[in-house]
Amino acid sequence: MKFLDQAKIYIRSGNGGAGSVSFRREKFIPNGGPDGGDGGKGGDVWIEAVEGLNTLIDYRYQQHFKAQTGHHGQGRQMHGGKGEDVNLKVPVGTQVLDEDKETVLLDMDTAGKVELLLKGGNGGWGNVRFKGPTNQAPTYANPGQEGQERWIWLRLKLIADIGLAGLPNAGKSTFLSAASAAKPKIADYPFTTLAPNLGMVDLSPSERFVIADIPGLIEGASEGAGLGTRFLGHVERSASLIHLIDGTQDDVVEAYRIIRGELEAYGEGLADKAEILALNKIDALTPEAREEKAAELEAVAGRRPMLVSGVSGEGVAALLRAAWAEVKKTRGALAGENEADQISGWRP
């Protein structure tokens, strides 16, 4: 299935049904009076976050969604039925943006979350509603209320605990395949990964977390170079980042500075996230080269990088354990916030 993380769609709620103008005409009832029923309410437009989806590709081929108009009222005070609703199903982590593509209207960050986007128009009153002592035979009824309409953007930000960052060919996809059951495309040329990949890491039955591999960044990505920073939004929700650096390249310090610069230029708090620094592809380095490049990174980053190899598997388990420690910190903080909220909201 093709990955699509943003889509522009048109939504419209249903018009209300018109009220009916009708009079009761039956044998032996000469003065039946008005009996026109009300029109039905127009359909609403809802959005729901569902599990099992990881792309917005469904909204690539259909961009217009219109709820049904309410049914019109009829004689004998029969009210019209409600129009059918439209229910948009989106992946967990989808944001609803205004047409300006900046104003966030909704954040569907929880599975099962349902929100109302547009409310359908109310049905019009039938002529029986206007009957009174001075107007015993009204010959008019209300039309249904107009529905609402607008254009919106859907933007998907994948829900992952850990994000992988690095230059193209840093070995992110190889590491993801070694750490999880994911099978991303792997090749020996830059920009092999053109869309984010998710992998589930199972350290034990109670120790599980999700890693997101995003396409590689290059210098100037914040200004649109390469694939730009379009996919960095998928790691905004991550607890921390694993910064992979290709140990076989000549200047590992420059590679580190390029990625850090792009994270800071992107903003949204990415540069402030906890970062696990790792020197990758150590299977191709001699012990002396490993130590030399690790010392260079430690001098510029202020901490010693972990040594890993996605090909041989060396150091992968230790790196995943370090990542799990960061995930537990975040989950523990969120659990503490929820517990505090429950206590503060408690009433005897």
PDB file of all heavy atoms in Angstrom, residues 9-33:
ATOM      1  N   ILE A   9      -9.141  17.572   1.478  1.00  0.00           N
ATOM      2  CA  ILE A   9     -10.459  17.061   1.138  1.00  0.00           C
ATOM      3  C   ILE A   9     -11.523  18.130   1.383  1.00  0.00           C
ATOM      4  O   ILE A   9     -11.324  19.066   2.153  1.00  0.00           O
ATOM      5  CB  ILE A   9     -10.817  15.788   1.946  1.00  0.00           C
ATOM      6  CG1 ILE A   9     -10.845  16.098   3.439  1.00  0.00           C
ATOM      7  CG2 ILE A   9      -9.846  14.658   1.639  1.00  0.00           C
ATOM      8  CD1 ILE A   9     -11.360  14.944   4.281  1.00  0.00           C
ATOM      9  N   TYR A  10     -12.641  17.948   0.697  1.00  0.00           N
ATOM     10  CA  TYR A  10     -13.805  18.832   0.842  1.00  0.00           C
ATOM     11  C   TYR A  10     -14.884  18.057   1.592  1.00  0.00           C
ATOM     12  O   TYR A  10     -15.203  16.917   1.248  1.00  0.00           O
ATOM     13  CB  TYR A  10     -14.310  19.247  -0.539  1.00  0.00           C
ATOM     14  CG  TYR A  10     -15.649  19.956  -0.540  1.00  0.00           C
ATOM     15  CD1 TYR A  10     -15.740  21.327  -0.310  1.00  0.00           C
ATOM     16  CD2 TYR A  10     -16.824  19.246  -0.782  1.00  0.00           C
ATOM     17  CE1 TYR A  10     -16.966  21.973  -0.318  1.00  0.00           C
ATOM     18  CE2 TYR A  10     -18.056  19.888  -0.798  1.00  0.00           C
ATOM     19  CZ  TYR A  10     -18.118  21.250  -0.561  1.00  0.00           C
ATOM     20  OH  TYR A  10     -19.340  21.895  -0.573  1.00  0.00           O
ATOM     21  N   ILE A  11     -15.442  18.688   2.631  1.00  0.00           N
ATOM     22  CA  ILE A  11     -16.497  18.039   3.402  1.00  0.00           C
ATOM     23  C   ILE A  11     -17.718  18.960   3.453  1.00  0.00           C
ATOM     24  O   ILE A  11     -17.592  20.179   3.465  1.00  0.00           O
ATOM     25  CB  ILE A  11     -16.042  17.687   4.832  1.00  0.00           C
ATOM     26  CG1 ILE A  11     -15.484  18.918   5.559  1.00  0.00           C
ATOM     27  CG2 ILE A  11     -15.011  16.569   4.809  1.00  0.00           C
ATOM     28  CD1 ILE A  11     -15.118  18.659   7.020  1.00  0.00           C
ATOM     29  N   ARG A  12     -18.876  18.340   3.465  1.00  0.00           N
ATOM     30  CA  ARG A  12     -20.135  19.113   3.524  1.00  0.00           C
ATOM     31  C   ARG A  12     -21.166  18.316   4.302  1.00  0.00           C
ATOM     32  O   ARG A  12     -21.385  17.135   4.027  1.00  0.00           O
ATOM     33  CB  ARG A  12     -20.662  19.401   2.124  1.00  0.00           C
ATOM     34  CG  ARG A  12     -21.785  20.446   2.121  1.00  0.00           C
ATOM     35  CD  ARG A  12     -22.383  20.653   0.740  1.00  0.00           C
ATOM     36  NE  ARG A  12     -23.149  21.879   0.645  1.00  0.00           N
ATOM     37  CZ  ARG A  12     -24.335  22.084   1.189  1.00  0.00           C
ATOM     38  NH1 ARG A  12     -24.905  21.123   1.891  1.00  0.00           N
ATOM     39  NH2 ARG A  12     -24.954  23.245   1.042  1.00  0.00           N
ATOM     40  N   SER A  13     -21.782  18.963   5.279  1.00  0.00           N
ATOM     41  CA  SER A  13     -22.875  18.317   6.013  1.00  0.00           C
ATOM     42  C   SER A  13     -24.173  18.475   5.221  1.00  0.00           C
ATOM     43  O   SER A  13     -24.290  19.327   4.341  1.00  0.00           O
ATOM     44  CB  SER A  13     -23.015  18.927   7.406  1.00  0.00           C
ATOM     45  OG  SER A  13     -23.285  20.314   7.330  1.00  0.00           O
ATOM     46  N   GLY A  14     -25.162  17.653   5.547  1.00  0.00           N
ATOM     47  CA  GLY A  14     -26.410  17.647   4.794  1.00  0.00           C
ATOM     48  C   GLY A  14     -27.334  18.803   5.142  1.00  0.00           C
ATOM     49  O   GLY A  14     -27.349  19.294   6.277  1.00  0.00           O
ATOM     50  N   ASN A  15     -28.095  19.251   4.166  1.00  0.00           N
ATOM     51  CA  ASN A  15     -29.137  20.250   4.401  1.00  0.00           C
ATOM     52  C   ASN A  15     -30.295  19.615   5.177  1.00  0.00           C
ATOM     53  O   ASN A  15     -30.544  18.407   5.059  1.00  0.00           O
ATOM     54  CB  ASN A  15     -29.672  20.815   3.094  1.00  0.00           C
ATOM     55  CG  ASN A  15     -28.616  21.565   2.303  1.00  0.00           C
ATOM     56  OD1 ASN A  15     -27.657  22.086   2.877  1.00  0.00           O
ATOM     57  ND2 ASN A  15     -28.781  21.615   0.991  1.00  0.00           N
ATOM     58  N   GLY A  16     -30.990  20.428   5.945  1.00  0.00           N
ATOM     59  CA  GLY A  16     -32.189  19.938   6.605  1.00  0.00           C
ATOM     60  C   GLY A  16     -33.329  19.768   5.602  1.00  0.00           C
ATOM     61  O   GLY A  16     -33.418  20.492   4.605  1.00  0.00           O
ATOM     62  N   GLY A  17     -34.192  18.798   5.847  1.00  0.00           N
ATOM     63  CA  GLY A  17     -35.340  18.595   4.969  1.00  0.00           C
ATOM     64  C   GLY A  17     -36.379  19.693   5.140  1.00  0.00           C
ATOM     65  O   GLY A  17     -36.494  20.304   6.209  1.00  0.00           O
ATOM     66  N   ALA A  18     -37.129  19.948   4.108  1.00  0.00           N
ATOM     67  CA  ALA A  18     -38.150  21.007   4.146  1.00  0.00           C
ATOM     68  C   ALA A  18     -39.400  20.525   4.877  1.00  0.00           C
ATOM     69  O   ALA A  18     -39.761  19.346   4.813  1.00  0.00           O
ATOM     70  CB  ALA A  18     -38.506  21.439   2.734  1.00  0.00           C
ATOM     71  N   GLY A  19     -40.054  21.456   5.577  1.00  0.00           N
ATOM     72  CA  GLY A  19     -41.331  21.141   6.199  1.00  0.00           C
ATOM     73  C   GLY A  19     -42.431  21.017   5.159  1.00  0.00           C
ATOM     74  O   GLY A  19     -42.318  21.542   4.041  1.00  0.00           O
ATOM     75  N   SER A  20     -43.493  20.339   5.523  1.00  0.00           N
ATOM     76  CA  SER A  20     -44.580  20.076   4.573  1.00  0.00           C
ATOM     77  C   SER A  20     -45.775  21.004   4.820  1.00  0.00           C
ATOM     78  O   SER A  20     -46.077  21.357   5.965  1.00  0.00           O
ATOM     79  CB  SER A  20     -45.026  18.620   4.705  1.00  0.00           C
ATOM     80  OG  SER A  20     -46.188  18.371   3.953  1.00  0.00           O
ATOM     81  N   VAL A  21     -46.394  21.408   3.723  1.00  0.00           N
ATOM     82  CA  VAL A  21     -47.667  22.143   3.794  1.00  0.00           C
ATOM     83  C   VAL A  21     -48.765  21.166   3.404  1.00  0.00           C
ATOM     84  O   VAL A  21     -48.839  20.727   2.253  1.00  0.00           O
ATOM     85  CB  VAL A  21     -47.670  23.359   2.855  1.00  0.00           C
ATOM     86  CG1 VAL A  21     -49.042  24.045   2.903  1.00  0.00           C
ATOM     87  CG2 VAL A  21     -46.573  24.326   3.236  1.00  0.00           C
ATOM     88  N   SER A  22     -49.554  20.773   4.357  1.00  0.00           N
ATOM     89  CA  SER A  22     -50.586  19.769   4.104  1.00  0.00           C
ATOM     90  C   SER A  22     -51.779  20.039   5.013  1.00  0.00           C
ATOM     91  O   SER A  22     -51.628  20.621   6.097  1.00  0.00           O
ATOM     92  CB  SER A  22     -50.021  18.367   4.360  1.00  0.00           C
ATOM     93  OG  SER A  22     -51.027  17.389   4.249  1.00  0.00           O
ATOM     94  N   PHE A  23     -52.984  19.601   4.539  1.00  0.00           N
ATOM     95  CA  PHE A  23     -54.207  19.753   5.331  1.00  0.00           C
ATOM     96  C   PHE A  23     -54.922  18.414   5.429  1.00  0.00           C
ATOM     97  O   PHE A  23     -54.919  17.628   4.473  1.00  0.00           O
ATOM     98  CB  PHE A  23     -55.133  20.800   4.691  1.00  0.00           C
ATOM     99  CG  PHE A  23     -54.575  22.189   4.741  1.00  0.00           C
ATOM    100  CD1 PHE A  23     -53.799  22.675   3.698  1.00  0.00           C
ATOM    101  CD2 PHE A  23     -54.806  23.015   5.835  1.00  0.00           C
ATOM    102  CE1 PHE A  23     -53.268  23.954   3.733  1.00  0.00           C
ATOM    103  CE2 PHE A  23     -54.279  24.293   5.880  1.00  0.00           C
ATOM    104  CZ  PHE A  23     -53.512  24.771   4.821  1.00  0.00           C
ATOM    105  N   ARG A  24     -55.476  18.188   6.575  1.00  0.00           N
ATOM    106  CA  ARG A  24     -56.180  16.932   6.808  1.00  0.00           C
ATOM    107  C   ARG A  24     -57.521  16.961   6.090  1.00  0.00           C
ATOM    108  O   ARG A  24     -58.361  17.831   6.331  1.00  0.00           O
ATOM    109  CB  ARG A  24     -56.389  16.740   8.312  1.00  0.00           C
ATOM    110  CG  ARG A  24     -57.034  15.422   8.686  1.00  0.00           C
ATOM    111  CD  ARG A  24     -57.176  15.291  10.182  1.00  0.00           C
ATOM    112  NE  ARG A  24     -57.760  14.020  10.554  1.00  0.00           N
ATOM    113  CZ  ARG A  24     -58.077  13.681  11.795  1.00  0.00           C
ATOM    114  NH1 ARG A  24     -57.881  14.557  12.786  1.00  0.00           N
ATOM    115  NH2 ARG A  24     -58.597  12.495  12.060  1.00  0.00           N
ATOM    116  N   ARG A  25     -57.695  16.002   5.198  1.00  0.00           N
ATOM    117  CA  ARG A  25     -58.942  15.945   4.413  1.00  0.00           C
ATOM    118  C   ARG A  25     -59.482  14.520   4.505  1.00  0.00           C
ATOM    119  O   ARG A  25     -58.965  13.604   3.859  1.00  0.00           O
ATOM    120  CB  ARG A  25     -58.687  16.313   2.962  1.00  0.00           C
ATOM    121  CG  ARG A  25     -58.131  17.734   2.807  1.00  0.00           C
ATOM    122  CD  ARG A  25     -57.925  18.087   1.349  1.00  0.00           C
ATOM    123  NE  ARG A  25     -57.282  19.379   1.188  1.00  0.00           N
ATOM    124  CZ  ARG A  25     -57.905  20.537   1.215  1.00  0.00           C
ATOM    125  NH1 ARG A  25     -59.217  20.571   1.409  1.00  0.00           N
ATOM    126  NH2 ARG A  25     -57.246  21.665   1.043  1.00  0.00           N
ATOM    127  N   GLU A  26     -60.477  14.346   5.385  1.00  0.00           N
ATOM    128  CA  GLU A  26     -61.073  13.034   5.554  1.00  0.00           C
ATOM    129  C   GLU A  26     -62.597  13.169   5.572  1.00  0.00           C
ATOM    130  O   GLU A  26     -63.146  14.203   5.948  1.00  0.00           O
ATOM    131  CB  GLU A  26     -60.605  12.392   6.863  1.00  0.00           C
ATOM    132  CG  GLU A  26     -59.110  12.086   6.897  1.00  0.00           C
ATOM    133  CD  GLU A  26     -58.701  11.414   8.190  1.00  0.00           C
ATOM    134  OE1 GLU A  26     -59.476  10.581   8.694  1.00  0.00           O
ATOM    135  OE2 GLU A  26     -57.610  11.735   8.703  1.00  0.00           O
ATOM    136  N   LYS A  27     -63.227  12.111   5.202  1.00  0.00           N
ATOM    137  CA  LYS A  27     -64.680  12.081   5.193  1.00  0.00           C
ATOM    138  C   LYS A  27     -65.231  12.267   6.598  1.00  0.00           C
ATOM    139  O   LYS A  27     -64.692  11.715   7.554  1.00  0.00           O
ATOM    140  CB  LYS A  27     -65.147  10.746   4.625  1.00  0.00           C
ATOM    141  CG  LYS A  27     -66.637  10.679   4.327  1.00  0.00           C
ATOM    142  CD  LYS A  27     -66.986   9.364   3.662  1.00  0.00           C
ATOM    143  CE  LYS A  27     -68.470   9.317   3.291  1.00  0.00           C
ATOM    144  NZ  LYS A  27     -68.815   8.023   2.648  1.00  0.00           N
ATOM    145  N   PHE A  28     -66.231  13.074   6.710  1.00  0.00           N
ATOM    146  CA  PHE A  28     -66.907  13.378   7.972  1.00  0.00           C
ATOM    147  C   PHE A  28     -66.074  14.279   8.889  1.00  0.00           C
ATOM    148  O   PHE A  28     -66.430  14.468  10.051  1.00  0.00           O
ATOM    149  CB  PHE A  28     -67.310  12.103   8.734  1.00  0.00           C
ATOM    150  CG  PHE A  28     -68.103  11.146   7.912  1.00  0.00           C
ATOM    151  CD1 PHE A  28     -67.677   9.839   7.716  1.00  0.00           C
ATOM    152  CD2 PHE A  28     -69.307  11.550   7.324  1.00  0.00           C
ATOM    153  CE1 PHE A  28     -68.419   8.963   6.956  1.00  0.00           C
ATOM    154  CE2 PHE A  28     -70.060  10.666   6.567  1.00  0.00           C
ATOM    155  CZ  PHE A  28     -69.616   9.372   6.369  1.00  0.00           C
ATOM    156  N   ILE A  29     -64.935  14.782   8.393  1.00  0.00           N
ATOM    157  CA  ILE A  29     -64.150  15.738   9.180  1.00  0.00           C
ATOM    158  C   ILE A  29     -63.970  16.982   8.312  1.00  0.00           C
ATOM    159  O   ILE A  29     -62.980  17.137   7.590  1.00  0.00           O
ATOM    160  CB  ILE A  29     -62.772  15.157   9.584  1.00  0.00           C
ATOM    161  CG1 ILE A  29     -62.958  13.842  10.345  1.00  0.00           C
ATOM    162  CG2 ILE A  29     -61.992  16.155  10.449  1.00  0.00           C
ATOM    163  CD1 ILE A  29     -61.667  13.180  10.748  1.00  0.00           C
ATOM    164  N   PRO A  30     -64.973  17.878   8.349  1.00  0.00           N
ATOM    165  CA  PRO A  30     -64.953  19.036   7.425  1.00  0.00           C
ATOM    166  C   PRO A  30     -63.860  20.044   7.753  1.00  0.00           C
ATOM    167  O   PRO A  30     -63.346  20.719   6.875  1.00  0.00           O
ATOM    168  CB  PRO A  30     -66.342  19.642   7.607  1.00  0.00           C
ATOM    169  CG  PRO A  30     -66.782  19.211   8.973  1.00  0.00           C
ATOM    170  CD  PRO A  30     -66.198  17.859   9.189  1.00  0.00           C
ATOM    171  N   ASN A  31     -63.482  20.173   9.014  1.00  0.00           N
ATOM    172  CA  ASN A  31     -62.472  21.160   9.408  1.00  0.00           C
ATOM    173  C   ASN A  31     -61.232  20.450   9.958  1.00  0.00           C
ATOM    174  O   ASN A  31     -60.934  20.511  11.146  1.00  0.00           O
ATOM    175  CB  ASN A  31     -63.049  22.125  10.453  1.00  0.00           C
ATOM    176  CG  ASN A  31     -64.241  22.883   9.896  1.00  0.00           C
ATOM    177  OD1 ASN A  31     -64.217  23.340   8.756  1.00  0.00           O
ATOM    178  ND2 ASN A  31     -65.285  23.017  10.711  1.00  0.00           N
ATOM    179  N   GLY A  32     -60.546  19.743   9.078  1.00  0.00           N
ATOM    180  CA  GLY A  32     -59.406  18.932   9.517  1.00  0.00           C
ATOM    181  C   GLY A  32     -58.234  19.763  10.003  1.00  0.00           C
ATOM    182  O   GLY A  32     -57.565  19.425  10.968  1.00  0.00           O
ATOM    183  N   GLY A  33     -57.963  20.864   9.324  1.00  0.00           N
ATOM    184  CA  GLY A  33     -56.857  21.718   9.730  1.00  0.00           C
ATOM    185  C   GLY A  33     -55.519  21.252   9.167  1.00  0.00           C
ATOM    186  O   GLY A  33     -55.404  20.228   8.486  1.00  0.00           O
TER     187      GLY A  33
END
